[in-house]
Amino acid sequence: MEDYEPAEGEASRIGLTLETYILEGMLGRREARGYFTSLLNQIALAAKMVTSRVRRAGLVNVLGTTGDTNATGDTVQKLDQEANETLLRVLGRRNHCAAAASEEEEDIRILSTADTANYLVVFDPLDGSSNIDVNISIGTIFGVYRKEHDGPATKADFLKPGRELQAAGYIIYGSSTQFVITTGGAVHGFTYDPSVGEFLLSHENIRVPDHHPTYSINEGNAGRWTDGVKHWNDWVKGEDNAEKRPYSLRYVGTLVADAHRTLLRGGIFAYPGDTKSPEGKLRLLYEANPIAFIFEAAGGVATTGEERILDIEPTELHQRVPLILGSTRNVDEFLSFGKK
Ligand code: AHM
Ligand code: MG
């Protein structure tokens, strides 16, 4: 898959719409039939629909006071279920997505058996759901794979390592809504302009800084960590002017938000395995893989502490995985404690 990186010497394209960017990517590929382009545009459309809904999140109960039905008579749903339904509905429309696997669904959902349906989409429709009700950043994470055979998609089609992703991205519903996407080359960020109704290129060619004195981990779990993680945690809090320690702690509790900050500023995010959850908390298919794909494309690292996230051969749709990601040097520091 060719990526959408601007040609050498090409002027900055800040302000370009996401739709134009996706279309230009297709025009740059000789064999392109437009299916991939169409699929990415559908994801962008779903993102607009979800953001419009997220922006009214505090009004759900207000809108639902007439007996838990909304203006069109539908039952008022929880936002994460609504985001899930929106993505499934929009992805199912153009016969380019054969099936989807969602964090909110027990099994895969077949969306099209048409010959044109050559792609598979994995997603976490609303990541950080415990933060919805308290008006803290939440997000949507997605990844796109190619379906490699004729005939209907199966669950086995989704059990591929993350390095086979054709595209990955996330949408962060923060102080503004931003859409970060890569097809494996450059990573770009687009900011939603509600007055125009479009995502506009605002962060061109994002690169993860090599190091930043920030760490991000749920320290409430400290008693359950391995000795390596405990020693690393003591070390980041130790005093050393030259190394800019102690590092600052930043933890939102929404992976998309913690990863987004780490992508732009650098530092480290870790959700390691512990005595209660040896495999950590985060899901390989919907969370770790797409975010790892973005970090690697931006020059960062994503590992379980023992192996590269993108090399894991999944065995289950909903399997969990320890996730350590961020700037190369910060992750190296972390790993040096694990090995002691
Ligand atoms: P969710 O998909 O149900 O929202 O859970 C995943 C979230 C991540 O966004 C975040 O990194 C993590 O759970 C936070 O977990 P904890 O509250 O244990 O720190
Ligand atoms: Mg999640």
Side-chain angles (χ1 to χ4, degrees), residues 209-231:
D210 173 53
H211 188 266
H212 195 270
T214 302
Y215 73 107
S216 185
I217 193 166
N218 184 342
E219 256 182 40
N221 294 330
R224 298 172 180 156
W225 290 339
T226 61
D227 287 345
V229 179
K230 285 178 184 164
H231 291 149

Side-chain angles (χ1 to χ4, degrees), residues 103 124 127-128 287:
E103 197 186 278
D124 178 353
D127 174 56
E287 298 175 320

Side-chain angles (χ1 to χ4, degrees), residues 119-200:
Y119 291 100
L120 309 165
V121 178
V122 290
F123 61 82
D124 178 353
L126 220 50
D127 174 56
S129 38
S130 66
N131 278 329
I132 297 174
D133 293 342
V134 286
N135 205 1
I136 292 177
S137 298
I138 48 179
T140 297
I141 310 173
F142 68 90
V144 179
Y145 290 95
R146 201 188 283 280
K147 180 165 73 75
E148 313 278 2
H149 60 86
D150 296 334
T154 65
K155 181 172 140 184
D157 294 333
F158 285 86
L159 304 179
K160 302 187 211 225
R163 62 171 185 267
E164 291 184 30
L165 279 163
Q166 302 295 309
Y170 61 79
I171 298 101
I172 177 166
Y173 312 102
S175 45
S176 61
T177 298
Q178 292 184 340
F179 193 121
V180 173
I181 183 169
T182 184
T183 53
V187 179
H188 296 308
F190 296 78
T191 301
Y192 189 62
D193 182 341
S195 64
V196 190
E198 295 283 1
F199 287 99
L200 305 177

Side-chain angles (χ1 to χ4, degrees), residues 19-270:
E19 204 176 324
T20 304
Y21 160 79
I22 291 171
L23 190 67
E24 281 184 359
M26 183 201 83
L27 295 175
R29 292 190 291 132
R30 256 171 290 131
E31 82 293 2
R33 289 166 300 181
Y35 302 166
F36 185 62
T37 305
S38 165
L39 183 79
L40 292 183
N41 274 323
Q42 290 301 91
I43 293 174
L45 172 64
K48 287 182 195 174
M49 294 168 76
V50 175
T51 197
S52 112
R53 188 60 194 74
V54 165
R55 293 299 170 204
R56 293 182 298 140
L59 295 170
V60 173
N61 292 333
V62 178
L63 299 174
T65 47
T66 53
D68 274 350
T69 56
N70 64 19
T72 50
D74 301 323
T75 303
V76 173
Q77 279 184 302
K78 284 179 66 186
L79 207 50
D80 41 7
Q81 291 163 5
E82 212 175 300
N84 185 46
E85 288 304 322
T86 301
L87 274 151
L88 289 171
R89 200 170 57 243
V90 173
L91 285 171
R93 269 187 203 149
R94 290 214 191 137
N95 288 324
H96 298 146
C97 180
S102 161
E103 197 186 278
E104 292 285 323
E105 300 279 329
E106 192 60 30
D107 216 333
I108 65 163
R109 287 274 292 262
I110 301 291
L111 298 179
S112 173
T113 51
D115 290 348
T116 51
N118 295 319
Y119 291 100
L120 309 165
V121 178
V122 290
F123 61 82
D124 178 353
L126 220 50
D127 174 56
S129 38
S130 66
N131 278 329
I132 297 174
D133 293 342
V134 286
N135 205 1
I136 292 177
S137 298
I138 48 179
T140 297
I141 310 173
F142 68 90
V144 179
Y145 290 95
R146 201 188 283 280
K147 180 165 73 75
E148 313 278 2
H149 60 86
D150 296 334
T154 65
K155 181 172 140 184
D157 294 333
F158 285 86
L159 304 179
K160 302 187 211 225
R163 62 171 185 267
E164 291 184 30
L165 279 163
Q166 302 295 309
Y170 61 79
I171 298 101
I172 177 166
Y173 312 102
S175 45
S176 61
T177 298
Q178 292 184 340
F179 193 121
V180 173
I181 183 169
T182 184
T183 53
V187 179
H188 296 308
F190 296 78
T191 301
Y192 189 62
D193 182 341
S195 64
V196 190
E198 295 283 1
F199 287 99
L200 305 177
L201 183 61
S202 53
H203 297 67
E204 194 175 20
N205 197 15
I206 298 169
R207 303 296 298 167
V208 188
D210 173 53
H211 188 266
H212 195 270
T214 302
Y215 73 107
S216 185
I217 193 166
N218 184 342
E219 256 182 40
N221 294 330
R224 298 172 180 156
W225 290 339
T226 61
D227 287 345
V229 179
K230 285 178 184 164
H231 291 149
W232 163 81
N233 187 243
D234 289 341
W235 179 81
V236 295
K237 293 191 278 196
E239 192 81 38
D240 186 325
N241 266 346
E243 289 186 324
K244 297 190 177 152
R245 288 188 288 121
Y247 291 175
S248 292
L249 170 62
R250 296 285 183 272
Y251 191 76
V252 178
T254 295
L255 174 64
V256 170
D258 285 314
H260 187 64
R261 182 196 55 251
T262 308
L263 189 76
L264 296 183
R265 293 249 171 93
I268 183 168
F269 167 87

Side-chain angles (χ1 to χ4, degrees), residues 216-218 221 224-226 229-230 232 269-275 277-282 303-305 321-324 334:
S216 185
I217 193 166
N218 184 342
N221 294 330
R224 298 172 180 156
W225 290 339
T226 61
V229 179
K230 285 178 184 164
W232 163 81
F269 167 87
Y271 210 117
D274 58 33
T275 50
S277 316
E279 298 309 317
K281 175 180 182 185
L282 301 171
T303 170
T304 63
V321 71
L323 177 63
I324 293 98
F334 180 97

